[in-house]
């Protein structure tokens, strides 16, 4: 989010978390990530809108207080 380390967020100028899913098992998380990546852009947008219709920054709401 702060682009401190080189990687996805700095490469693609990502600064907002609009969707996430929590998993207790890394293998389940990876399988879900692959499933989502295989979907069309339209399906991904529908998935985001189903959880976050206003596209607000979920980082602030869900995680900022933990820091």
């Amino acid at each position: 989010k702060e682009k401190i380390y080189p990687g996805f967020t700095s490469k693609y100028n990502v600064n907002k978390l609009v969707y996430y899913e929590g998993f207790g098992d890394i293998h389940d998380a990876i399988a879900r990530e692959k499933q989502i990546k295989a979907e069309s852009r339209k399906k991904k947008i529908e998935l985001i809108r189903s959880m976050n219709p206003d596209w607000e920054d979920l980082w602030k709401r869900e995680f900022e207080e933990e820091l």
Side-chain angles (χ1 to χ4, degrees):
K1 183 166 175 74
E2 302 297 328
K3 300 176 188 73
I4 296 170
Y5 302 103
F8 184 87
T9 56
S10 57
K11 182 178 180 180
Y12 294 100
N13 198 28
V14 175
N15 57 17
K16 199 173 186 182
L17 175 68
V18 295
Y19 182 84
Y20 73 94
E21 293 181 37
F23 292 90
D25 180 77
I26 187 68
H27 298 98
D28 292 339
I30 292 169
R32 179 64 173 142
E33 180 182 13
K34 288 179 180 181
Q35 181 184 31
I36 292 171
K37 283 184 174 182
E39 293 178 350
S40 68
R41 181 176 179 87
K42 181 181 177 187
K43 289 280 186 187
K44 291 172 190 169
I45 291 171
E46 289 171 0
L47 183 63
I48 293 166
R49 286 187 176 147
S50 72
M51 177 183 167
N52 186 3
D54 296 326
W55 292 64
E56 65 180 286
D57 190 352
L58 300 177
W59 173 265
K60 293 176 184 175
R61 185 175 79 192
E62 301 290 335
F63 304 107
E64 195 168 54
E65 292 177 7
E66 295 179 13
L67 296 178

